[in-house]
Amino acid sequence: MSDQTAPSSTDQTLANLLKEDRRFEPPAELAAAANVKADAYDAARADREGFWAEQAERLTWDTRWDRVLDWDNAPFAKWYVGGRLNAAYNCVDRHVEAGRGDKVAIHWVGEPEGDTRDITYAQLKDEVSQAANALTALGVGAGDRVAIYLPMIPEAIVTMLACARIGAPHTVVFGGFSADALASRIDDCQAKVVVTADGGYRRGTASALKPAVDEARTKTDKIEKVLVVRRTGQDLSVDGEDGWDDAVDVWWHDAVGGASTEHTPEAFDAEHPLYVMYTSGTTGKPKGILHTTGGYLTGAAYTHNAVFDLKPDTDVYWCTADIGWVTGHSYIVYGPLANGVTQVLYEGTPDAPEPGRWWKIIQDYQVTLFYTAPTAIRSFMKQGHEIPDRFDMSSLRILGSVGEPINPEAYVWYRHVIGGDRTPVVDTWWQTETGAVMISPLPGVTAGKPGSAMTAIPGIEADVVDDEGNPVPNGSGGYLVVTSPWPSMLRTIWGDDDRYVDTYWSRFKKQGYYFAGDGAKKDDDGDIWVLGRVDDVMNVSGHRLSTTEIESALVSHPKVAESAVVGASDPNTGQAVVAYVILRNEAGDGGPDIVKELSDHVRKEIGPIAKPRQIMIVPELPKTRSGKIMRRLLRDVAEGRAVGDTQTLADASIMDLISAGQATSTED
Ligand code: PRX
C-alpha cells in the first residue's frame, strides 16, 4: 500500500473537530426501552464467544454449531463451525411460519408517482420460491454464481434471496456501472446467469439496463442465460438489432411467473458462500469480497437490531442505499428481513419528481428509522430546510448515517431539520469487508457527538494505532484497526487468498490486526473520529473508487499517454475525482473537446459515478526519482493549497508548470 499518511488537510479539520463540545443525550424513553444497554459492552468483553453465540440465536439453525469460532488458520476464519442454516428461510419463511405472513415486508415505491406495491412476507415467500425454482430450471445449482444487475425494484431482493435459498452466491453489480465493469465482475467470479431488467426509472426517464448486459456478453463468454424483468416496457433494440437472443434471454414473467410457489429450502454450512461484492482496491482490479452465511447473517441481524434499536412490531424502516452496494445487502436485505421488519424500498432519485420526494415518503409511510449517507444530507442542506419543513416527519425516532465521515454541521442539520431535535443520529462506520456496522453510537446508550462514530459496538474490538501497531493515546491519530475477528468479516477475496492476506492482514502482521485502510483519531474522551482513507482509494458520495482504476480507464483512451488521479475534498460529494492527464505527442493539444471526450470515456468505461470533476491536461507529472507519482502534491493543487515539500521530486519545476496550468484548466 502506498502513501500511507492521511492528507494534511484532515489534520487541520481534526483540530477543529476536537473543539466539538455539543453532546446529545439519548431521549429518556428510548434509553429506558433500548434493546441494548450499557452493560452489553462489558458482557461482550468478558466472554466474546459467548456473546456471539447469543447473537447467533437470533437466527433459526437447522443444525446448531459445535464451535463458535475457529481462528486456528488465521486470518482465515470459520464461525459457527458445524452449523447449518438457510439464509432465505431466515429472512422469509420463518416469519410466515410464526404467523406473520400478512405483515408487509416491503412497501415498494416506484419513481413514477402512484407506482407502488406492498409485499407481505407470505407473498415474498411465494415469489422467492418461484424465483428459486426458475433459477434451478435455468441450470443454477448450489455453488454457481449469479450476477444481478437490476434497478431498485422488489425483484432485486427476490433474486438475492432466491440465490441464497438455493446456495448460489450472488454478485450484485450496481446498475450505474457500465458494461465493461459488469463484464469484468462476471468474468472474475464466473457468473453463468445474469438477472437484469429492460430498464429502471431515474429522474423521470426510463433508463436502459439490458443493452449493457448484451454488450457485456461481447466481452465475456461466461454468461449462459439472462433473465429479464420487464420494468419500464421500453424498446430493447439498439442500432437496428432487436436486443433479444432467444437462445439466452428469458423473460422473468415467463420463467418466474410460471414457476411453482412450492420450494423447500436446503440447509447449507455456516461457511457456505453467500455473496461476492466487488469493491475498489489500490490496484486496478476490483476485489471480490466474499461473505459467507452464518456469521454474516448473525452480524447483519444483530447490528440492525442494536444500532437502530429495532422494534419489529412497530417500526417502519427505510435505508436509501442502492442494492448494488454493501449497505443495500446488509441493511435492506439480510439484516432487516432476518429481523422481520416492515421497510420502504424506493426506486428513484431523491428529487424526482420534486425535491421533497424523500420527505413525502417518510410522511406517507410513517417511517420511524431512516438510514442514509452524508452526501445526500449535504445536498439537502444546500437546498435549505424549507423543503423538508413542508412535511410531517414526527414519526422518525432514529436517524443513521453511513459511507463517509459526516461533518458536524451536516449531523446537526440532519438531527434538527429531519429529526426535529428528537432523534439520535447514529454515525455508523463499517466497510464492504466488515459486512456489518463496527463503530457506532448505540441510540439508547451513547451521548452523541456530532462528527464522531464514537466507539466499537459490543462484540467488536477496534483501536487506533501508530506505525508499529501500538495504541495511540487519546488526542492522537493513527491507523484504524480491528483487533479481533468478528462473525460478519470477509472470508477472503474471491479467488485470491494471497491478496486477502496482503491487503488486510500484512500491515500489522505481528499483532494480527485487521487494517481497514482508514486513518482515525481518538479524541480526549477516547472516542473515534474516522478521517478517511489513507491509501489510493477515494470516497465519492460514500462510494469507494480506486484511483488506479480511473487512471487505467483514462490511459485506455487513444489520445492519453499517462494519467494520475487524486481525490480532492469536495463540499458536496466528500471527495471528487480530479485527473491529471499527459497527452500523446500525436494527439497535439487534444482538440477543443478533449476534456469532454475524456470525461465521457471514463463514464463509459466505469460509469457516471467515476466521472472526473476536473481534468487537467499537463505536460508532466510530479515523480520521485524512483518514478512514483507524488499524489500528495497533486492533491495540494486540486484542493487549491500551496504546494507542499517538493524536495524528493526528480524535477521540481514540474509543480510550477502544473500549478500555473491550474488557473486555465477546464472543468467539464
Ligand atoms: O473510509 C471509510 C468510509 O467508507 C469506507 C468503506 O466503504 P465501502 O466498503 O464502500 O462501504 C461503505 C458502506 C459501509 C470506509 O473504509 N466510511 C464508511 N462509513 C463511514 C466512513 N467513514 C467515516 N465515517 C463513517 N461512518
PDB file of all heavy atoms in Angstrom, residues 514-548:
ATOM      1  N   TYR A 514      -6.568  -6.535  11.820  1.00  0.00           N
ATOM      2  CA  TYR A 514      -7.154  -6.229  10.516  1.00  0.00           C
ATOM      3  C   TYR A 514      -6.974  -4.734  10.275  1.00  0.00           C
ATOM      4  O   TYR A 514      -7.393  -3.912  11.100  1.00  0.00           O
ATOM      5  CB  TYR A 514      -8.651  -6.580  10.535  1.00  0.00           C
ATOM      6  CG  TYR A 514      -9.431  -6.023   9.353  1.00  0.00           C
ATOM      7  CD1 TYR A 514      -9.503  -6.732   8.156  1.00  0.00           C
ATOM      8  CD2 TYR A 514     -10.081  -4.795   9.432  1.00  0.00           C
ATOM      9  CE1 TYR A 514     -10.200  -6.230   7.076  1.00  0.00           C
ATOM     10  CE2 TYR A 514     -10.787  -4.287   8.354  1.00  0.00           C
ATOM     11  CZ  TYR A 514     -10.841  -4.999   7.183  1.00  0.00           C
ATOM     12  OH  TYR A 514     -11.532  -4.494   6.112  1.00  0.00           O
ATOM     13  N   PHE A 515      -6.339  -4.374   9.161  1.00  0.00           N
ATOM     14  CA  PHE A 515      -6.170  -2.955   8.845  1.00  0.00           C
ATOM     15  C   PHE A 515      -7.196  -2.546   7.799  1.00  0.00           C
ATOM     16  O   PHE A 515      -7.245  -3.086   6.703  1.00  0.00           O
ATOM     17  CB  PHE A 515      -4.750  -2.673   8.345  1.00  0.00           C
ATOM     18  CG  PHE A 515      -4.560  -1.249   7.906  1.00  0.00           C
ATOM     19  CD1 PHE A 515      -5.070  -0.193   8.665  1.00  0.00           C
ATOM     20  CD2 PHE A 515      -3.873  -0.957   6.733  1.00  0.00           C
ATOM     21  CE1 PHE A 515      -4.905   1.126   8.267  1.00  0.00           C
ATOM     22  CE2 PHE A 515      -3.698   0.365   6.332  1.00  0.00           C
ATOM     23  CZ  PHE A 515      -4.216   1.406   7.097  1.00  0.00           C
ATOM     24  N   ALA A 516      -7.995  -1.561   8.199  1.00  0.00           N
ATOM     25  CA  ALA A 516      -9.146  -1.176   7.394  1.00  0.00           C
ATOM     26  C   ALA A 516      -8.793  -0.226   6.259  1.00  0.00           C
ATOM     27  O   ALA A 516      -9.589   0.006   5.369  1.00  0.00           O
ATOM     28  CB  ALA A 516     -10.177  -0.516   8.312  1.00  0.00           C
ATOM     29  N   GLY A 517      -7.598   0.367   6.292  1.00  0.00           N
ATOM     30  CA  GLY A 517      -7.239   1.344   5.260  1.00  0.00           C
ATOM     31  C   GLY A 517      -7.678   2.757   5.589  1.00  0.00           C
ATOM     32  O   GLY A 517      -7.496   3.663   4.792  1.00  0.00           O
ATOM     33  N   ASP A 518      -8.248   2.957   6.772  1.00  0.00           N
ATOM     34  CA  ASP A 518      -8.693   4.296   7.171  1.00  0.00           C
ATOM     35  C   ASP A 518      -7.775   4.883   8.240  1.00  0.00           C
ATOM     36  O   ASP A 518      -7.241   4.164   9.076  1.00  0.00           O
ATOM     37  CB  ASP A 518     -10.112   4.242   7.775  1.00  0.00           C
ATOM     38  CG  ASP A 518     -11.190   4.128   6.712  1.00  0.00           C
ATOM     39  OD1 ASP A 518     -10.952   4.538   5.569  1.00  0.00           O
ATOM     40  OD2 ASP A 518     -12.284   3.627   7.038  1.00  0.00           O
ATOM     41  N   GLY A 519      -7.654   6.203   8.191  1.00  0.00           N
ATOM     42  CA  GLY A 519      -6.992   6.921   9.265  1.00  0.00           C
ATOM     43  C   GLY A 519      -8.046   7.364  10.272  1.00  0.00           C
ATOM     44  O   GLY A 519      -9.216   7.561   9.909  1.00  0.00           O
ATOM     45  N   ALA A 520      -7.660   7.481  11.545  1.00  0.00           N
ATOM     46  CA  ALA A 520      -8.633   7.900  12.563  1.00  0.00           C
ATOM     47  C   ALA A 520      -7.905   8.564  13.717  1.00  0.00           C
ATOM     48  O   ALA A 520      -6.681   8.455  13.835  1.00  0.00           O
ATOM     49  CB  ALA A 520      -9.415   6.688  13.066  1.00  0.00           C
ATOM     50  N   LYS A 521      -8.643   9.274  14.526  1.00  0.00           N
ATOM     51  CA  LYS A 521      -8.077   9.856  15.747  1.00  0.00           C
ATOM     52  C   LYS A 521      -8.959   9.488  16.931  1.00  0.00           C
ATOM     53  O   LYS A 521     -10.165   9.289  16.781  1.00  0.00           O
ATOM     54  CB  LYS A 521      -8.034  11.380  15.632  1.00  0.00           C
ATOM     55  CG  LYS A 521      -7.026  11.880  14.635  1.00  0.00           C
ATOM     56  CD  LYS A 521      -6.039  12.836  15.255  1.00  0.00           C
ATOM     57  CE  LYS A 521      -5.038  13.297  14.199  1.00  0.00           C
ATOM     58  NZ  LYS A 521      -4.042  14.237  14.695  1.00  0.00           N
ATOM     59  N   LYS A 522      -8.307   9.423  18.081  1.00  0.00           N
ATOM     60  CA  LYS A 522      -9.079   9.295  19.323  1.00  0.00           C
ATOM     61  C   LYS A 522      -9.125  10.679  19.955  1.00  0.00           C
ATOM     62  O   LYS A 522      -8.074  11.324  20.085  1.00  0.00           O
ATOM     63  CB  LYS A 522      -8.370   8.332  20.281  1.00  0.00           C
ATOM     64  CG  LYS A 522      -8.498   6.871  19.887  1.00  0.00           C
ATOM     65  CD  LYS A 522      -8.040   5.959  21.028  1.00  0.00           C
ATOM     66  CE  LYS A 522      -6.778   5.237  20.662  1.00  0.00           C
ATOM     67  NZ  LYS A 522      -6.232   4.318  21.646  1.00  0.00           N
ATOM     68  N   ASP A 523     -10.281  11.141  20.349  1.00  0.00           N
ATOM     69  CA  ASP A 523     -10.332  12.448  20.994  1.00  0.00           C
ATOM     70  C   ASP A 523     -10.013  12.314  22.479  1.00  0.00           C
ATOM     71  O   ASP A 523      -9.641  11.219  22.947  1.00  0.00           O
ATOM     72  CB  ASP A 523     -11.679  13.158  20.722  1.00  0.00           C
ATOM     73  CG  ASP A 523     -12.862  12.468  21.391  1.00  0.00           C
ATOM     74  OD1 ASP A 523     -12.649  11.604  22.268  1.00  0.00           O
ATOM     75  OD2 ASP A 523     -14.016  12.797  21.031  1.00  0.00           O
ATOM     76  N   ASP A 524     -10.159  13.384  23.196  1.00  0.00           N
ATOM     77  CA  ASP A 524      -9.732  13.358  24.599  1.00  0.00           C
ATOM     78  C   ASP A 524     -10.532  12.375  25.446  1.00  0.00           C
ATOM     79  O   ASP A 524     -10.077  11.938  26.504  1.00  0.00           O
ATOM     80  CB  ASP A 524      -9.806  14.768  25.211  1.00  0.00           C
ATOM     81  CG  ASP A 524      -8.730  15.661  24.600  1.00  0.00           C
ATOM     82  OD1 ASP A 524      -7.748  15.096  24.058  1.00  0.00           O
ATOM     83  OD2 ASP A 524      -8.882  16.895  24.619  1.00  0.00           O
ATOM     84  N   ASP A 525     -11.726  12.028  24.978  1.00  0.00           N
ATOM     85  CA  ASP A 525     -12.514  11.030  25.715  1.00  0.00           C
ATOM     86  C   ASP A 525     -12.245   9.622  25.208  1.00  0.00           C
ATOM     87  O   ASP A 525     -12.892   8.661  25.640  1.00  0.00           O
ATOM     88  CB  ASP A 525     -14.020  11.293  25.532  1.00  0.00           C
ATOM     89  CG  ASP A 525     -14.409  12.693  25.943  1.00  0.00           C
ATOM     90  OD1 ASP A 525     -13.861  13.180  26.947  1.00  0.00           O
ATOM     91  OD2 ASP A 525     -15.242  13.317  25.238  1.00  0.00           O
ATOM     92  N   GLY A 526     -11.381   9.496  24.199  1.00  0.00           N
ATOM     93  CA  GLY A 526     -11.112   8.175  23.629  1.00  0.00           C
ATOM     94  C   GLY A 526     -12.109   7.788  22.540  1.00  0.00           C
ATOM     95  O   GLY A 526     -12.095   6.655  22.057  1.00  0.00           O
ATOM     96  N   ASP A 527     -12.993   8.728  22.153  1.00  0.00           N
ATOM     97  CA  ASP A 527     -13.947   8.423  21.082  1.00  0.00           C
ATOM     98  C   ASP A 527     -13.270   8.558  19.716  1.00  0.00           C
ATOM     99  O   ASP A 527     -12.388   9.397  19.523  1.00  0.00           O
ATOM    100  CB  ASP A 527     -15.156   9.357  21.178  1.00  0.00           C
ATOM    101  CG  ASP A 527     -15.978   9.074  22.425  1.00  0.00           C
ATOM    102  OD1 ASP A 527     -16.083   7.879  22.793  1.00  0.00           O
ATOM    103  OD2 ASP A 527     -16.472  10.023  23.050  1.00  0.00           O
ATOM    104  N   ILE A 528     -13.742   7.734  18.782  1.00  0.00           N
ATOM    105  CA  ILE A 528     -13.069   7.631  17.481  1.00  0.00           C
ATOM    106  C   ILE A 528     -13.687   8.571  16.442  1.00  0.00           C
ATOM    107  O   ILE A 528     -14.910   8.642  16.296  1.00  0.00           O
ATOM    108  CB  ILE A 528     -13.113   6.162  16.993  1.00  0.00           C
ATOM    109  CG1 ILE A 528     -12.270   5.286  17.933  1.00  0.00           C
ATOM    110  CG2 ILE A 528     -12.611   6.043  15.553  1.00  0.00           C
ATOM    111  CD1 ILE A 528     -12.341   3.802  17.653  1.00  0.00           C
ATOM    112  N   TRP A 529     -12.792   9.289  15.734  1.00  0.00           N
ATOM    113  CA  TRP A 529     -13.189  10.120  14.594  1.00  0.00           C
ATOM    114  C   TRP A 529     -12.524   9.517  13.369  1.00  0.00           C
ATOM    115  O   TRP A 529     -11.300   9.509  13.273  1.00  0.00           O
ATOM    116  CB  TRP A 529     -12.690  11.560  14.780  1.00  0.00           C
ATOM    117  CG  TRP A 529     -13.277  12.256  15.967  1.00  0.00           C
ATOM    118  CD1 TRP A 529     -13.026  11.996  17.286  1.00  0.00           C
ATOM    119  CD2 TRP A 529     -14.221  13.334  15.928  1.00  0.00           C
ATOM    120  NE1 TRP A 529     -13.756  12.846  18.074  1.00  0.00           N
ATOM    121  CE2 TRP A 529     -14.490  13.684  17.271  1.00  0.00           C
ATOM    122  CE3 TRP A 529     -14.853  14.031  14.907  1.00  0.00           C
ATOM    123  CZ2 TRP A 529     -15.382  14.696  17.606  1.00  0.00           C
ATOM    124  CZ3 TRP A 529     -15.724  15.051  15.237  1.00  0.00           C
ATOM    125  CH2 TRP A 529     -15.992  15.377  16.572  1.00  0.00           C
ATOM    126  N   VAL A 530     -13.317   8.995  12.459  1.00  0.00           N
ATOM    127  CA  VAL A 530     -12.743   8.392  11.256  1.00  0.00           C
ATOM    128  C   VAL A 530     -12.427   9.517  10.281  1.00  0.00           C
ATOM    129  O   VAL A 530     -13.270  10.380  10.015  1.00  0.00           O
ATOM    130  CB  VAL A 530     -13.725   7.386  10.622  1.00  0.00           C
ATOM    131  CG1 VAL A 530     -13.113   6.764   9.380  1.00  0.00           C
ATOM    132  CG2 VAL A 530     -14.094   6.297  11.625  1.00  0.00           C
ATOM    133  N   LEU A 531     -11.189   9.516   9.775  1.00  0.00           N
ATOM    134  CA  LEU A 531     -10.754  10.648   8.952  1.00  0.00           C
ATOM    135  C   LEU A 531     -10.730  10.360   7.466  1.00  0.00           C
ATOM    136  O   LEU A 531     -10.493  11.240   6.668  1.00  0.00           O
ATOM    137  CB  LEU A 531      -9.355  11.073   9.398  1.00  0.00           C
ATOM    138  CG  LEU A 531      -9.261  11.517  10.848  1.00  0.00           C
ATOM    139  CD1 LEU A 531      -7.835  11.861  11.203  1.00  0.00           C
ATOM    140  CD2 LEU A 531     -10.169  12.717  11.073  1.00  0.00           C
ATOM    141  N   GLY A 532     -10.929   9.127   7.074  1.00  0.00           N
ATOM    142  CA  GLY A 532     -10.923   8.828   5.642  1.00  0.00           C
ATOM    143  C   GLY A 532      -9.767   7.910   5.271  1.00  0.00           C
ATOM    144  O   GLY A 532      -8.963   7.511   6.110  1.00  0.00           O
ATOM    145  N   ARG A 533      -9.706   7.580   4.006  1.00  0.00           N
ATOM    146  CA  ARG A 533      -8.754   6.585   3.514  1.00  0.00           C
ATOM    147  C   ARG A 533      -7.315   7.090   3.586  1.00  0.00           C
ATOM    148  O   ARG A 533      -7.063   8.269   3.365  1.00  0.00           O
ATOM    149  CB  ARG A 533      -9.078   6.244   2.057  1.00  0.00           C
ATOM    150  CG  ARG A 533     -10.521   5.859   1.802  1.00  0.00           C
ATOM    151  CD  ARG A 533     -10.880   4.524   2.314  1.00  0.00           C
ATOM    152  NE  ARG A 533      -9.939   3.501   1.893  1.00  0.00           N
ATOM    153  CZ  ARG A 533      -9.992   2.242   2.332  1.00  0.00           C
ATOM    154  NH1 ARG A 533     -10.939   1.871   3.165  1.00  0.00           N
ATOM    155  NH2 ARG A 533      -9.115   1.359   1.925  1.00  0.00           N
ATOM    156  N   VAL A 534      -6.411   6.198   3.863  1.00  0.00           N
ATOM    157  CA  VAL A 534      -5.003   6.576   3.820  1.00  0.00           C
ATOM    158  C   VAL A 534      -4.317   5.962   2.590  1.00  0.00           C
ATOM    159  O   VAL A 534      -3.148   6.176   2.367  1.00  0.00           O
ATOM    160  CB  VAL A 534      -4.231   6.141   5.086  1.00  0.00           C
ATOM    161  CG1 VAL A 534      -4.826   6.772   6.314  1.00  0.00           C
ATOM    162  CG2 VAL A 534      -4.206   4.630   5.222  1.00  0.00           C
ATOM    163  N   ASP A 535      -5.054   5.219   1.802  1.00  0.00           N
ATOM    164  CA  ASP A 535      -4.454   4.640   0.603  1.00  0.00           C
ATOM    165  C   ASP A 535      -4.976   5.376  -0.631  1.00  0.00           C
ATOM    166  O   ASP A 535      -5.593   6.419  -0.516  1.00  0.00           O
ATOM    167  CB  ASP A 535      -4.745   3.135   0.535  1.00  0.00           C
ATOM    168  CG  ASP A 535      -6.246   2.848   0.676  1.00  0.00           C
ATOM    169  OD1 ASP A 535      -7.059   3.746   0.382  1.00  0.00           O
ATOM    170  OD2 ASP A 535      -6.586   1.721   1.080  1.00  0.00           O
ATOM    171  N   ASP A 536      -4.711   4.808  -1.789  1.00  0.00           N
ATOM    172  CA  ASP A 536      -5.116   5.496  -3.012  1.00  0.00           C
ATOM    173  C   ASP A 536      -6.539   5.149  -3.402  1.00  0.00           C
ATOM    174  O   ASP A 536      -6.830   4.834  -4.548  1.00  0.00           O
ATOM    175  CB  ASP A 536      -4.158   5.120  -4.156  1.00  0.00           C
ATOM    176  CG  ASP A 536      -2.792   5.707  -3.893  1.00  0.00           C
ATOM    177  OD1 ASP A 536      -2.719   6.697  -3.150  1.00  0.00           O
ATOM    178  OD2 ASP A 536      -1.813   5.173  -4.422  1.00  0.00           O
ATOM    179  N   VAL A 537      -7.399   5.157  -2.440  1.00  0.00           N
ATOM    180  CA  VAL A 537      -8.800   4.886  -2.718  1.00  0.00           C
ATOM    181  C   VAL A 537      -9.571   6.143  -2.337  1.00  0.00           C
ATOM    182  O   VAL A 537      -9.345   6.719  -1.292  1.00  0.00           O
ATOM    183  CB  VAL A 537      -9.294   3.670  -1.903  1.00  0.00           C
ATOM    184  CG1 VAL A 537     -10.779   3.452  -2.095  1.00  0.00           C
ATOM    185  CG2 VAL A 537      -8.528   2.419  -2.319  1.00  0.00           C
ATOM    186  N   MET A 538     -10.443   6.577  -3.235  1.00  0.00           N
ATOM    187  CA  MET A 538     -11.231   7.780  -2.951  1.00  0.00           C
ATOM    188  C   MET A 538     -12.598   7.383  -2.423  1.00  0.00           C
ATOM    189  O   MET A 538     -13.044   6.264  -2.618  1.00  0.00           O
ATOM    190  CB  MET A 538     -11.443   8.573  -4.234  1.00  0.00           C
ATOM    191  CG  MET A 538     -10.194   9.171  -4.771  1.00  0.00           C
ATOM    192  SD  MET A 538     -10.492   9.725  -6.442  1.00  0.00           S
ATOM    193  CE  MET A 538     -10.554   8.195  -7.304  1.00  0.00           C
ATOM    194  N   ASN A 539     -13.242   8.340  -1.802  1.00  0.00           N
ATOM    195  CA  ASN A 539     -14.600   8.097  -1.333  1.00  0.00           C
ATOM    196  C   ASN A 539     -15.484   9.211  -1.909  1.00  0.00           C
ATOM    197  O   ASN A 539     -15.489  10.324  -1.433  1.00  0.00           O
ATOM    198  CB  ASN A 539     -14.628   8.104   0.187  1.00  0.00           C
ATOM    199  CG  ASN A 539     -15.965   7.624   0.716  1.00  0.00           C
ATOM    200  OD1 ASN A 539     -17.007   7.898   0.130  1.00  0.00           O
ATOM    201  ND2 ASN A 539     -15.944   6.916   1.830  1.00  0.00           N
ATOM    202  N   VAL A 540     -16.174   8.880  -2.991  1.00  0.00           N
ATOM    203  CA  VAL A 540     -17.006   9.865  -3.684  1.00  0.00           C
ATOM    204  C   VAL A 540     -18.465   9.548  -3.378  1.00  0.00           C
ATOM    205  O   VAL A 540     -18.930   8.443  -3.687  1.00  0.00           O
ATOM    206  CB  VAL A 540     -16.756   9.818  -5.206  1.00  0.00           C
ATOM    207  CG1 VAL A 540     -17.639  10.830  -5.930  1.00  0.00           C
ATOM    208  CG2 VAL A 540     -15.288  10.069  -5.529  1.00  0.00           C
ATOM    209  N   SER A 541     -19.135  10.461  -2.738  1.00  0.00           N
ATOM    210  CA  SER A 541     -20.546  10.257  -2.363  1.00  0.00           C
ATOM    211  C   SER A 541     -20.737   8.949  -1.612  1.00  0.00           C
ATOM    212  O   SER A 541     -21.720   8.243  -1.818  1.00  0.00           O
ATOM    213  CB  SER A 541     -21.458  10.255  -3.599  1.00  0.00           C
ATOM    214  OG  SER A 541     -21.375  11.474  -4.251  1.00  0.00           O
ATOM    215  N   GLY A 542     -19.774   8.612  -0.765  1.00  0.00           N
ATOM    216  CA  GLY A 542     -19.923   7.393   0.031  1.00  0.00           C
ATOM    217  C   GLY A 542     -19.567   6.127  -0.727  1.00  0.00           C
ATOM    218  O   GLY A 542     -19.775   5.035  -0.235  1.00  0.00           O
ATOM    219  N   HIS A 543     -19.032   6.268  -1.931  1.00  0.00           N
ATOM    220  CA  HIS A 543     -18.673   5.074  -2.690  1.00  0.00           C
ATOM    221  C   HIS A 543     -17.186   5.033  -2.945  1.00  0.00           C
ATOM    222  O   HIS A 543     -16.573   6.030  -3.303  1.00  0.00           O
ATOM    223  CB  HIS A 543     -19.429   5.038  -4.012  1.00  0.00           C
ATOM    224  CG  HIS A 543     -20.901   5.049  -3.815  1.00  0.00           C
ATOM    225  ND1 HIS A 543     -21.529   4.142  -2.992  1.00  0.00           N
ATOM    226  CD2 HIS A 543     -21.856   5.874  -4.255  1.00  0.00           C
ATOM    227  CE1 HIS A 543     -22.816   4.403  -2.969  1.00  0.00           C
ATOM    228  NE2 HIS A 543     -23.035   5.459  -3.721  1.00  0.00           N
ATOM    229  N   ARG A 544     -16.632   3.860  -2.756  1.00  0.00           N
ATOM    230  CA  ARG A 544     -15.193   3.728  -2.916  1.00  0.00           C
ATOM    231  C   ARG A 544     -14.818   3.572  -4.366  1.00  0.00           C
ATOM    232  O   ARG A 544     -15.326   2.720  -5.064  1.00  0.00           O
ATOM    233  CB  ARG A 544     -14.725   2.500  -2.135  1.00  0.00           C
ATOM    234  CG  ARG A 544     -14.362   2.847  -0.727  1.00  0.00           C
ATOM    235  CD  ARG A 544     -14.411   1.635   0.106  1.00  0.00           C
ATOM    236  NE  ARG A 544     -13.273   0.774  -0.156  1.00  0.00           N
ATOM    237  CZ  ARG A 544     -13.120  -0.388   0.469  1.00  0.00           C
ATOM    238  NH1 ARG A 544     -14.019  -0.824   1.319  1.00  0.00           N
ATOM    239  NH2 ARG A 544     -12.068  -1.117   0.228  1.00  0.00           N
ATOM    240  N   LEU A 545     -13.897   4.419  -4.804  1.00  0.00           N
ATOM    241  CA  LEU A 545     -13.400   4.325  -6.169  1.00  0.00           C
ATOM    242  C   LEU A 545     -11.882   4.264  -6.099  1.00  0.00           C
ATOM    243  O   LEU A 545     -11.262   4.961  -5.306  1.00  0.00           O
ATOM    244  CB  LEU A 545     -13.806   5.555  -6.971  1.00  0.00           C
ATOM    245  CG  LEU A 545     -15.299   5.792  -7.187  1.00  0.00           C
ATOM    246  CD1 LEU A 545     -15.517   7.132  -7.865  1.00  0.00           C
ATOM    247  CD2 LEU A 545     -15.869   4.684  -8.059  1.00  0.00           C
ATOM    248  N   SER A 546     -11.310   3.448  -6.959  1.00  0.00           N
ATOM    249  CA  SER A 546      -9.864   3.326  -6.933  1.00  0.00           C
ATOM    250  C   SER A 546      -9.251   4.301  -7.927  1.00  0.00           C
ATOM    251  O   SER A 546      -9.699   4.404  -9.072  1.00  0.00           O
ATOM    252  CB  SER A 546      -9.514   1.882  -7.265  1.00  0.00           C
ATOM    253  OG  SER A 546      -8.434   1.815  -8.130  1.00  0.00           O
ATOM    254  N   THR A 547      -8.225   5.025  -7.484  1.00  0.00           N
ATOM    255  CA  THR A 547      -7.554   5.961  -8.388  1.00  0.00           C
ATOM    256  C   THR A 547      -6.969   5.204  -9.572  1.00  0.00           C
ATOM    257  O   THR A 547      -7.056   5.653 -10.702  1.00  0.00           O
ATOM    258  CB  THR A 547      -6.416   6.700  -7.656  1.00  0.00           C
ATOM    259  OG1 THR A 547      -5.572   5.742  -7.050  1.00  0.00           O
ATOM    260  CG2 THR A 547      -6.943   7.635  -6.594  1.00  0.00           C
ATOM    261  N   THR A 548      -6.393   4.044  -9.288  1.00  0.00           N
ATOM    262  CA  THR A 548      -5.754   3.258 -10.352  1.00  0.00           C
ATOM    263  C   THR A 548      -6.747   2.853 -11.432  1.00  0.00           C
ATOM    264  O   THR A 548      -6.427   2.864 -12.621  1.00  0.00           O
ATOM    265  CB  THR A 548      -5.144   1.962  -9.772  1.00  0.00           C
ATOM    266  OG1 THR A 548      -4.767   2.220  -8.441  1.00  0.00           O
ATOM    267  CG2 THR A 548      -3.993   1.492 -10.593  1.00  0.00           C
TER     268      THR A 548
END
